[in-house]
């Protein structure tokens, strides 16, 4: 075609569509639009602030703590005698007092955040990876794979359904019982619990995407089914999975704490972890209930932050709520 | 021999618990190399299903395809998936109605253009990107290098359709199927897109099947026009002849519903009575009979045959509109 006429047409094209463009730029970009909505949502701001604080504390906190979280200072100084029911509370030197072994409670709470973050994140990443692989395979097979695909999908989904039907904590405890207590056990156990959730979510999302026009258009160009699944369908199906990952982090933190509480977590002597701290505080509830309250509040606030942000993201990305 | 020869194409949808639908019911037409052929009819008459059947894109479950579609010696309807994939996008390409939903929203335009170059022309990296920019330039997208990095939502509707057209013509297909390519666009842009398509097929000698519900769209560009009603071709003629001497009452109805400048202000547009839902099954007579003013006793009872004339004009009507009485 001739260039001159083309350029003229473009000018017209752009002029007459200026209104439409402006409209589009406000509405259609999924992520940018979602981000804009997130920033306007106070719940998201609060959630993000909590998370930022938590991550910051977990990363730099252990370097800044006033005392070695494993050192039994109180016992050495003779101020803590838990056998006799003497565990001093907050003072100007020890902001949250001592724990039952005479260690600085504040230092342990700060240092414990790192363990909680690492185990929570790693277990979610494990669950996410396995879940996305299973769900992706299943979704691709079901959405694009023909007769064989349906068979593969059926087998995979029955496995996932089995995992899904077992109460998550029970599943985690069984895993932990098989593998023996260690942080790795907790990560795998908590990760395994979230696998079916991610798998189901991605599969459902992919099957919905497989009926979209752009998939038909790509097919009409001779693009192979594998490539369509990986480079077209999956990228469009990940939004709900990412939101779910944020929500899963919240439950993972609680589950990690629960497993440690049950004595299935870290066996390294003196290593602080919120769930373990909670478990240990149990025996001294009568003497100093605050020792249970500190880690409990830390767990709740952190989980609350993840949930706030996760729910806000879900809302922001929900196409039904977008104008 | 024609480039594409469609003989007695039929598509039947059968789903358990649902009524059997004869979406396409014995459609025949042919397309010569470089020719522009229109399939025209109200929505629901089977135009999209026809094109999807030719491309092998109907769902394998529930859709039963019969007849034949010979593309330059290859029987499209009998082809296995793998060979069909090699033909799609390379020899036969399609342009869809809604450019926004036909483009992947999360992938930059450039990747969507290069994808087909990589697939069928064995290009890669810089060469593919360069060719992609050339293609965008060719379909009249300004500043193509920048556009390649943009996402579909950043383009206007017209630009998106131009990008889709660029993708469709990327491998210089011999046949292009455009399914209502302008229906989702503003009127001013419709004309530009039609003009672009016209130029592209003329310059590259590509055959084009133009699918539309609007006879006005095909008036300026088609060589041959097939009018579809309820899954069958009811009239088929060269463009000039069809506009000058339409014989089927349905075609006349379609022509009357196009707004025209040479019609006096007093005269109103006359839409066709009733709706596409008021059809008679073809096996029981003319499907258009329930909406037709020229219906006679012979219209009902048995399916009207296609009546050929010596000029290659044919129509499926037992009481055709006389030639003098043109709309
Ligand atoms: N996947 C499907 N399953 C069942 N019926 C279908 C399907 N696709 C199309 N149809 C039916 O086939 C007929 C023709 O549809 P279509 O070709 O899309 O019409 P149009 O001429 O507007 O493009 C319609 O009655 C429609 O309901
Ligand atoms: Mg259609």
């Amino acid at each position: 075609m001739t260039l001159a006429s083309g350029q003229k047409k473009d000018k017209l094209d752009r002029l007459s569509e200026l209104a439409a463009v402006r409209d589009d730029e406000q509405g259609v970009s999924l992520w940018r639009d979602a981000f804009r909505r997130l920033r306007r949502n106070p719940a998201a701001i609060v959630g993000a602030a909590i998370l930022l604080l938590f991550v910051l504390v977990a990363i730099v906190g252990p370097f800044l703590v006033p005392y070695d979280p494993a050192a039994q200072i109180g016992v050495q100084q003779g101020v803590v005698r838990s056998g006799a029911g003497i565990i001093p509370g907050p003072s100007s030197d020890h902001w949250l007092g001592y724990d039952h072994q005479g260690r600085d409670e504040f230092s342990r709470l700060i240092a414990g955040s790192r363990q909680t973050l690492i185990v929570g994140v790693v277990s979610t990443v494990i669950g996410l990876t396995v879940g996305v692989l299973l769900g992706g395979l299943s979704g691709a097979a079901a959405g694009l794979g023909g007769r064989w695909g349906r068979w593969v999908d059926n087998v995979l989904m029955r496995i996932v359904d089995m995992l899904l039907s077992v109460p998550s904590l029970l599943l985690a405890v069984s895993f932990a019982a098989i593998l023996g207590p260690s942080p790795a056990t907790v990560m795998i156990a908590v990760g395994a619990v979230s696998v079916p959730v991610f798998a189901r979510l991605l599969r459902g999302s992919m099957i919905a995407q497989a009926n979209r026009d752009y998939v038909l258009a790509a097919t009409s160009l001779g693009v192979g089914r594998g490539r369509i699944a990986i480079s077209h369908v999956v990228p469009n199906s990940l939004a709900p999975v990412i939101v779910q990952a944020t929500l899963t982090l919240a439950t993972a933190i609680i589950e990690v704490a629960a497993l440690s509480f049950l004595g299935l977590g870290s066996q390294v002597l003196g290593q602080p972890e919120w769930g373990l701290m909670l478990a240990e505080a149990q025996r001294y509830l009568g003497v100093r209930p605050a020792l249970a309250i500190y880690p409990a509040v830390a767990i709740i606030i952190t989980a609350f932050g993840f949930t706030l942000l996760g729910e806000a993201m879900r809302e922001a990305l929900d196409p039904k709520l977008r104008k | 021999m024609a480039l594409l020869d469609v003989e007695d194409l039929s598509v039947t949808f059968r789903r358990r618990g649902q009524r059997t639908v004869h979406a396409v019911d014995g459609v025949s037409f042919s397309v010569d190399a470089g020719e522009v052929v229109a399939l025209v009819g109200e929505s629901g008459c089977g135009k999209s299903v026809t094109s999807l059947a030719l491309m092998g894109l109907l769902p394998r479950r529930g859709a039963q395809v019969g007849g034949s579609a010979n593309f330059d010696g290859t029987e499209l309807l009998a082809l296995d998936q793998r060979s069909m994939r090699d033909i799609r996008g390379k020899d036969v390409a399609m342009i869809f109605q809604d450019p926004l939903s036909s483009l992947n929203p999360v992938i930059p335009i450039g990747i969507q253009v290069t994808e087909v170059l990589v697939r069928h022309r064995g290009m890669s990296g810089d060469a593919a990107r360069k060719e992609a920019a050339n293609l965008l330039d060719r379909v009249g997208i300004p500043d193509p290098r920048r556009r390649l990095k943009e996402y579909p939502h950043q383009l206007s509707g017209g630009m998106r359709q131009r990008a889709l057209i660029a993708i469709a013509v990327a491998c210089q297909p011999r046949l292009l199927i455009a399914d209502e390519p302008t229906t989702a666009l503003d009127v001013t842009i419709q004309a530009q897109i039609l003009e672009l398509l016209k130029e592209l097929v003329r310059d590259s000698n590509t055959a084009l099947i133009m699918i539309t519900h609007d006879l006005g769209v095909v008036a300026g560009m088609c060589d041959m026009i097939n009018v579809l009603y309820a899954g069958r071709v009811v009239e088929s003629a060269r463009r000039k002849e069809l506009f000058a001497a339409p014989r089927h009452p349905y075609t006349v109805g379609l022509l009357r519903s196009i707004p025209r400048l040479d019609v006096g202000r007093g005269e109103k547009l006359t839409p066709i009575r009733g709706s596409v839902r008021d059809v008679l099954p073809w096996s029981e007579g003319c499907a258009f009979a329930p909406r037709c003013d020229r219906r006679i006793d012979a219209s009902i009872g048995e399916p009207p045959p296609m009546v050929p004339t010596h000029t290659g004009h044919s129509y499926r009507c037992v009481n055709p509109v006389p030639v003098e009485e043109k709309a």
Side-chain angles (χ1 to χ4, degrees), chain B residues 86-106:
Chain B
D86 287 339
I87 286 187
R88 283 186 206 133
K90 180 160 163 273
D91 297 308
V92 187
M94 204 164 160
I95 299 163
F96 292 90
Q97 175 173 339
D98 182 356
L100 182 57
S101 68
S102 302
L103 287 164
N104 190 329
V106 303

Side-chain angles (χ1 to χ4, degrees), chain B:
Chain B
M1 211 191 99
L3 176 69
L4 175 74
D5 233 318
V6 180
E7 271 307 323
D8 207 21
L9 177 74
S10 67
V11 179
T12 311
F13 290 103
R14 271 183 234 281
R15 288 257 170 77
R16 247 181 296 156
Q18 277 176 29
R19 211 166 47 86
T20 301
V21 180
H22 298 280
V24 178
D25 196 1
V27 164
S28 304
F29 63 92
S30 68
V31 184
D32 285 328
E35 195 184 27
V36 181
V37 171
L39 300 182
V40 185
E42 284 164 295
S43 80
C45 70
K47 306 179 300 286
S48 297
V49 171
T50 301
S51 61
L52 293 178
L54 295 178
M55 297 288 285
L57 291 173
L58 287 169
R60 260 169 296 168
R61 279 210 296 181
Q64 204 177 325
V65 181
S68 102
N70 191 306
F71 176 73
D72 199 22
T74 311
E75 176 52 55
L76 291 180
L77 303 185
L79 227 50
D80 60 287
Q81 281 291 320
R82 181 181 297 268
S83 323
M84 195 70 222
R85 269 203 289 276
D86 287 339
I87 286 187
R88 283 186 206 133
K90 180 160 163 273
D91 297 308
V92 187
M94 204 164 160
I95 299 163
F96 292 90
Q97 175 173 339
D98 182 356
L100 182 57
S101 68
S102 302
L103 287 164
N104 190 329
V106 303
I107 299 182
I109 299 292
I111 295 188
Q112 305 194 49
V113 183
T114 49
E115 184 169 49
V116 64
L117 296 171
V118 172
R119 169 71 176 86
H120 292 299
R121 286 172 66 181
M123 292 184 156
S124 61
D126 264 348
R129 269 191 296 278
K130 214 164 157 195
E131 176 65 12
N134 277 343
L135 282 163
L136 291 197
D137 188 45
R138 213 173 135 221
V139 297
I141 294 182
D143 201 357
R145 294 217 159 260
R146 187 169 59 88
R147 291 294 179 185
L148 286 177
K149 297 194 197 85
E150 292 188 343
Y151 291 85
H153 71 267
Q154 292 171 290
L155 270 61
S156 62
M159 286 297 149
R160 276 182 218 129
Q161 192 57 297
R162 283 173 194 265
L164 267 190
I165 291 173
I167 295 172
V169 300
C171 299
Q172 287 138 13
R174 281 178 292 166
L175 175 63
L176 202 57
I177 304 177
D179 188 354
E180 313 229 15
T182 59
T183 305
L185 303 176
D186 292 349
V187 185
T188 45
I189 294 141
Q190 282 186 10
Q192 295 163 18
I193 294 293
L194 290 177
E195 192 60 30
L196 170 67
L197 273 175
K198 213 157 94 180
E199 281 178 42
L200 283 175
V201 296
R202 194 183 52 213
D203 295 351
S204 60
N205 201 34
T206 304
L208 172 67
I209 298 179
M210 184 75 195
I211 294 178
T212 176
H213 63 270
D214 181 358
L215 265 178
V217 163
V218 302
M221 66 185 299
C222 292
D223 301 307
M224 191 76 194
I225 297 175
N226 296 287
V227 180
L228 262 69
Y229 191 79
R232 287 197 184 181
V233 176
V234 293
E235 183 154 15
S236 168
R238 306 209 69 80
R239 170 178 40 134
K240 286 219 177 72
E241 178 139 6
L242 189 101
F243 279 92
R247 304 303 305 276
H248 199 286
Y250 178 61
T251 311
V252 174
L254 282 182
L255 284 169
R256 283 214 183 111
S257 54
I258 308 176
R260 277 166 47 173
L261 289 176
D262 58 349
V263 173
R265 271 214 227 162
E267 291 178 56
K268 271 198 241 128
L269 287 175
T270 30
I272 305 173
R273 265 191 305 132
S275 82
V276 254
R277 276 188 296 279
D278 312 323
V279 289
L280 198 66
W282 279 108
S283 56
E284 291 170 27
C286 176
F288 185 60
R291 302 169 68 188
C292 185
D293 294 328
R294 299 183 58 83
R295 178 181 57 215
I296 53 174
D297 287 349
S299 301
I300 320 270
E302 60 184 67
M306 202 72 172
V307 180
T309 68
H310 59 278
T311 52
H313 183 168
S314 52
Y315 50 88
R316 192 186 293 281
C317 185
V318 289
N319 185 25
V321 181
V323 177
E324 313 79 54
E325 214 182 275
K326 76 169 238 210

Side-chain angles (χ1 to χ4, degrees), chain A residues 1-2 9-10 12-14 16-17 21 24-25 28-29 32 146 150 212-214 216-217 219-225 227 231-232 235-236, chain B residues 55 57 60 85 88-89 96 101-107 115 119-120 138 140 142 147 153 156-160 162 167 189 192 196 199 203:
Chain A
M1 73 185 283
T2 56
K9 259 179 264 162
D10 293 324
L12 279 174
D13 205 340
R14 290 208 71 75
S16 56
E17 287 183 85
V21 175
D24 282 353
E25 278 173 359
V28 188
S29 166
R32 220 195 309 160
R150 275 195 298 282
R212 296 275 304 270
D213 285 353
Y214 68 83
L216 186 70
T219 312
S220 83
L221 293 168
V223 181
R225 278 181 295 186
R227 182 172 162 88
S231 64
H232 287 270
N236 277 291
Chain B
M55 297 288 285
L57 291 173
R60 260 169 296 168
R85 269 203 289 276
R88 283 186 206 133
F96 292 90
S101 68
S102 302
L103 287 164
N104 190 329
V106 303
I107 299 182
E115 184 169 49
R119 169 71 176 86
H120 292 299
R138 213 173 135 221
R147 291 294 179 185
H153 71 267
S156 62
M159 286 297 149
R160 276 182 218 129
R162 283 173 194 265
I167 295 172
I189 294 141
Q192 295 163 18
L196 170 67
E199 281 178 42
D203 295 351

Side-chain angles (χ1 to χ4, degrees), chain A residues 38 41-55 117 242-254 274 296-314:
Chain A
L38 265 186
N41 184 344
I45 303 290
V46 173
I50 292 175
L51 287 194
L52 210 65
L53 186 70
F54 171 62
V55 172
L117 178 71
I242 289 166
V243 172
Q244 183 60 39
T246 318
L247 292 169
T248 299
L249 268 169
T251 45
I253 283 168
I254 294 173
W274 292 348
V297 167
I299 292 168
I300 290 169
I301 288 181
T302 310
F304 182 63
F306 276 110
T307 310
L308 272 186
L309 189 65
E311 289 293 347
M313 276 168 69
R314 196 199 322 261

